[in-house]
Short mmCIF file of all heavy atoms in Angstrom, two decimals:
data_model
loop_
_atom_site.label_atom_id
_atom_site.label_comp_id
_atom_site.label_asym_id
_atom_site.label_seq_id
_atom_site.Cartn_x
_atom_site.Cartn_y
_atom_site.Cartn_z
N PRO A 19 107.86 -5.27 203.75
CA PRO A 19 109.05 -5.37 202.83
C PRO A 19 110.32 -4.70 203.38
O PRO A 19 111.39 -5.08 202.97
CB PRO A 19 108.53 -4.59 201.60
CG PRO A 19 107.38 -3.75 202.08
CD PRO A 19 106.77 -4.51 203.20
N ARG A 20 110.17 -3.75 204.34
CA ARG A 20 111.39 -3.12 204.89
C ARG A 20 112.23 -4.12 205.69
O ARG A 20 113.40 -3.81 205.90
CB ARG A 20 111.05 -1.95 205.74
CG ARG A 20 110.54 -0.72 204.86
CD ARG A 20 110.13 0.47 205.79
NE ARG A 20 111.17 0.92 206.68
CZ ARG A 20 112.11 1.80 206.30
NH1 ARG A 20 112.20 2.21 205.12
NH2 ARG A 20 113.08 2.14 207.16
N LEU A 21 111.67 -5.22 206.04
CA LEU A 21 112.50 -6.20 206.84
C LEU A 21 113.73 -6.64 205.97
O LEU A 21 114.77 -6.90 206.49
CB LEU A 21 111.71 -7.43 207.20
CG LEU A 21 110.67 -7.19 208.36
CD1 LEU A 21 109.76 -8.41 208.54
CD2 LEU A 21 111.40 -6.84 209.64
N THR A 22 113.51 -6.75 204.66
CA THR A 22 114.61 -7.10 203.78
C THR A 22 115.18 -5.91 203.02
O THR A 22 116.34 -5.83 202.73
CB THR A 22 114.21 -8.21 202.78
OG1 THR A 22 112.92 -7.88 202.21
CG2 THR A 22 114.11 -9.55 203.50
N GLU A 23 114.37 -4.89 202.78
CA GLU A 23 114.89 -3.70 202.09
C GLU A 23 115.89 -2.95 203.00
O GLU A 23 116.93 -2.48 202.49
CB GLU A 23 113.75 -2.71 201.79
CG GLU A 23 112.77 -3.21 200.67
CD GLU A 23 111.58 -2.32 200.57
OE1 GLU A 23 111.47 -1.33 201.35
OE2 GLU A 23 110.76 -2.64 199.64
N VAL A 24 115.65 -2.96 204.29
CA VAL A 24 116.53 -2.33 205.31
C VAL A 24 117.22 -3.34 206.18
O VAL A 24 118.47 -3.32 206.32
CB VAL A 24 115.74 -1.35 206.21
CG1 VAL A 24 116.63 -0.79 207.27
CG2 VAL A 24 115.06 -0.24 205.39
N GLY A 25 116.46 -4.28 206.72
CA GLY A 25 116.95 -5.20 207.71
C GLY A 25 117.93 -6.23 207.23
O GLY A 25 118.68 -6.84 208.01
N ALA A 26 117.98 -6.47 205.89
CA ALA A 26 118.94 -7.48 205.32
C ALA A 26 120.27 -6.95 205.03
O ALA A 26 121.19 -7.71 204.59
CB ALA A 26 118.32 -8.11 204.11
N TRP A 27 120.53 -5.68 205.32
CA TRP A 27 121.82 -5.03 204.83
C TRP A 27 122.46 -4.28 206.00
O TRP A 27 121.82 -3.49 206.72
CB TRP A 27 121.53 -4.10 203.72
CG TRP A 27 120.76 -4.79 202.62
CD1 TRP A 27 119.42 -4.80 202.49
CD2 TRP A 27 121.25 -5.68 201.65
NE1 TRP A 27 119.00 -5.55 201.39
CE2 TRP A 27 120.13 -6.14 200.90
CE3 TRP A 27 122.53 -6.12 201.22
CZ2 TRP A 27 120.26 -6.99 199.78
CZ3 TRP A 27 122.63 -7.01 200.19
CH2 TRP A 27 121.52 -7.42 199.48
N ARG A 28 123.78 -4.47 206.17
CA ARG A 28 124.50 -3.66 207.13
C ARG A 28 125.62 -2.92 206.45
O ARG A 28 126.07 -3.32 205.37
CB ARG A 28 125.05 -4.51 208.33
CG ARG A 28 126.05 -5.64 207.88
CD ARG A 28 126.54 -6.37 209.14
NE ARG A 28 127.46 -7.40 208.82
CZ ARG A 28 127.23 -8.73 208.82
NH1 ARG A 28 126.05 -9.14 209.04
NH2 ARG A 28 128.20 -9.60 208.56
N LYS A 29 126.04 -1.79 206.99
CA LYS A 29 127.02 -0.93 206.32
C LYS A 29 128.38 -1.50 206.31
O LYS A 29 129.19 -1.26 205.41
CB LYS A 29 126.98 0.43 207.02
CG LYS A 29 125.72 1.18 206.94
CD LYS A 29 125.76 2.50 207.71
CE LYS A 29 124.41 3.27 207.63
NZ LYS A 29 124.48 4.52 208.43
N ALA A 30 128.78 -2.24 207.37
CA ALA A 30 130.09 -2.73 207.55
C ALA A 30 130.10 -3.86 208.55
O ALA A 30 129.11 -4.08 209.24
CB ALA A 30 131.03 -1.59 207.93
N THR A 31 131.26 -4.60 208.62
CA THR A 31 131.41 -5.67 209.54
C THR A 31 132.72 -5.45 210.32
O THR A 31 133.74 -5.04 209.75
CB THR A 31 131.46 -7.02 208.88
OG1 THR A 31 130.26 -7.14 208.08
CG2 THR A 31 131.55 -8.12 209.85
N VAL A 32 132.66 -5.71 211.62
CA VAL A 32 133.81 -5.55 212.45
C VAL A 32 134.98 -6.40 211.98
O VAL A 32 134.71 -7.55 211.52
CB VAL A 32 133.47 -5.83 213.96
CG1 VAL A 32 133.26 -7.25 214.15
CG2 VAL A 32 134.61 -5.30 214.85
N ILE A 33 136.18 -5.92 212.00
CA ILE A 33 137.40 -6.72 211.68
C ILE A 33 137.68 -7.63 212.87
O ILE A 33 137.92 -7.08 213.99
CB ILE A 33 138.55 -5.87 211.24
CG1 ILE A 33 138.21 -5.02 210.05
CG2 ILE A 33 139.80 -6.63 211.02
CD1 ILE A 33 139.24 -3.98 209.64
N PRO A 34 137.66 -8.91 212.70
CA PRO A 34 137.69 -9.72 213.88
C PRO A 34 138.86 -9.67 214.82
O PRO A 34 138.73 -9.82 216.10
CB PRO A 34 137.59 -11.21 213.29
CG PRO A 34 137.99 -11.08 211.84
CD PRO A 34 137.62 -9.68 211.48
N TYR A 35 140.03 -9.38 214.30
CA TYR A 35 141.19 -9.40 215.19
C TYR A 35 141.08 -8.31 216.28
O TYR A 35 141.70 -8.36 217.34
CB TYR A 35 142.49 -9.28 214.42
CG TYR A 35 142.63 -10.47 213.56
CD1 TYR A 35 142.31 -10.36 212.17
CD2 TYR A 35 142.97 -11.71 214.05
CE1 TYR A 35 142.39 -11.46 211.33
CE2 TYR A 35 143.01 -12.86 213.25
CZ TYR A 35 142.74 -12.68 211.91
OH TYR A 35 142.78 -13.79 211.09
N ALA A 36 140.42 -7.23 215.98
CA ALA A 36 140.23 -6.18 216.99
C ALA A 36 139.21 -6.56 218.01
O ALA A 36 139.02 -5.86 218.98
CB ALA A 36 139.83 -4.90 216.24
N ASN A 37 138.58 -7.65 217.85
CA ASN A 37 137.46 -8.08 218.77
C ASN A 37 137.91 -9.26 219.64
O ASN A 37 137.00 -9.90 220.20
CB ASN A 37 136.29 -8.43 217.92
CG ASN A 37 135.03 -8.26 218.70
OD1 ASN A 37 134.90 -7.56 219.67
ND2 ASN A 37 133.92 -8.92 218.17
N ARG A 38 139.18 -9.48 219.78
CA ARG A 38 139.66 -10.71 220.48
C ARG A 38 140.33 -10.33 221.82
O ARG A 38 139.65 -10.39 222.80
CB ARG A 38 140.58 -11.47 219.60
CG ARG A 38 141.11 -12.75 220.26
CD ARG A 38 140.76 -13.96 219.47
NE ARG A 38 141.47 -15.17 220.01
CZ ARG A 38 140.74 -16.10 220.64
NH1 ARG A 38 139.52 -16.01 220.83
NH2 ARG A 38 141.40 -17.11 221.06
N ASP A 39 141.58 -9.98 221.78
CA ASP A 39 142.24 -9.89 223.05
C ASP A 39 142.67 -8.44 223.42
O ASP A 39 143.02 -8.18 224.58
CB ASP A 39 143.56 -10.73 222.99
CG ASP A 39 143.27 -12.17 222.88
OD1 ASP A 39 142.28 -12.62 223.54
OD2 ASP A 39 143.96 -12.87 222.13
N ASP A 40 142.60 -7.51 222.48
CA ASP A 40 143.11 -6.19 222.78
C ASP A 40 142.03 -5.25 223.39
O ASP A 40 142.35 -4.22 223.93
CB ASP A 40 143.77 -5.51 221.56
CG ASP A 40 142.77 -5.46 220.39
OD1 ASP A 40 141.57 -5.73 220.56
OD2 ASP A 40 143.24 -5.19 219.29
N HIS A 41 140.81 -5.69 223.32
CA HIS A 41 139.72 -4.90 224.01
C HIS A 41 139.70 -3.48 223.61
O HIS A 41 139.53 -2.54 224.45
CB HIS A 41 139.83 -5.03 225.51
CG HIS A 41 139.82 -6.50 225.97
ND1 HIS A 41 138.73 -7.29 225.88
CD2 HIS A 41 140.82 -7.25 226.57
CE1 HIS A 41 138.98 -8.53 226.36
NE2 HIS A 41 140.20 -8.52 226.75
N GLN A 42 139.91 -3.18 222.36
CA GLN A 42 139.83 -1.76 221.91
C GLN A 42 138.40 -1.19 222.10
O GLN A 42 137.42 -1.88 221.82
CB GLN A 42 140.19 -1.69 220.42
CG GLN A 42 141.66 -2.08 220.14
CD GLN A 42 141.98 -1.82 218.67
OE1 GLN A 42 141.30 -1.05 217.93
NE2 GLN A 42 143.07 -2.43 218.19
N VAL A 43 138.41 0.08 222.51
CA VAL A 43 137.14 0.77 222.76
C VAL A 43 136.49 1.05 221.38
O VAL A 43 135.29 0.87 221.14
CB VAL A 43 137.34 2.02 223.54
CG1 VAL A 43 136.00 2.81 223.66
CG2 VAL A 43 137.90 1.73 224.91
N ILE A 44 137.28 1.49 220.42
CA ILE A 44 136.77 1.79 219.03
C ILE A 44 137.24 0.64 218.14
O ILE A 44 138.41 0.46 217.91
CB ILE A 44 137.36 3.12 218.50
CG1 ILE A 44 136.89 4.25 219.47
CG2 ILE A 44 136.86 3.38 217.12
CD1 ILE A 44 137.45 5.61 219.08
N LEU A 45 136.29 -0.19 217.75
CA LEU A 45 136.65 -1.32 216.86
C LEU A 45 136.69 -0.92 215.41
O LEU A 45 135.78 -0.22 214.93
CB LEU A 45 135.55 -2.45 217.07
CG LEU A 45 135.35 -2.96 218.50
CD1 LEU A 45 134.18 -3.90 218.47
CD2 LEU A 45 136.65 -3.71 218.88
N PRO A 46 137.77 -1.33 214.77
CA PRO A 46 137.78 -1.01 213.25
C PRO A 46 136.84 -1.94 212.51
O PRO A 46 136.63 -3.06 212.78
CB PRO A 46 139.22 -1.36 212.92
CG PRO A 46 139.72 -2.35 213.90
CD PRO A 46 138.95 -2.05 215.20
N TYR A 47 136.25 -1.31 211.45
CA TYR A 47 135.26 -2.04 210.59
C TYR A 47 135.86 -2.05 209.19
O TYR A 47 136.75 -1.26 208.85
CB TYR A 47 133.96 -1.27 210.60
CG TYR A 47 133.14 -1.56 211.87
CD1 TYR A 47 133.48 -0.92 213.02
CD2 TYR A 47 132.10 -2.46 211.90
CE1 TYR A 47 132.77 -1.16 214.20
CE2 TYR A 47 131.38 -2.68 213.08
CZ TYR A 47 131.69 -2.05 214.24
OH TYR A 47 131.01 -2.25 215.35
N ASP A 48 135.34 -3.03 208.39
CA ASP A 48 135.90 -3.20 207.02
C ASP A 48 135.32 -2.22 205.99
O ASP A 48 135.78 -2.10 204.90
CB ASP A 48 135.73 -4.63 206.56
CG ASP A 48 134.23 -5.08 206.52
OD1 ASP A 48 133.29 -4.20 206.60
OD2 ASP A 48 133.98 -6.25 206.38
N ASN A 49 134.24 -1.48 206.40
CA ASN A 49 133.58 -0.52 205.52
C ASN A 49 133.15 -1.14 204.24
O ASN A 49 132.96 -0.50 203.18
CB ASN A 49 134.51 0.59 205.19
CG ASN A 49 134.84 1.46 206.52
OD1 ASN A 49 133.98 1.68 207.29
ND2 ASN A 49 136.15 1.78 206.64
#
């Protein structure tokens, strides 16, 4: 059951524009 109790959920998702051309070391997330 933990596959969906834990594995189905993430805390945040990376904001895509920071993941394209600027190559930031610390990527901002949407929280």
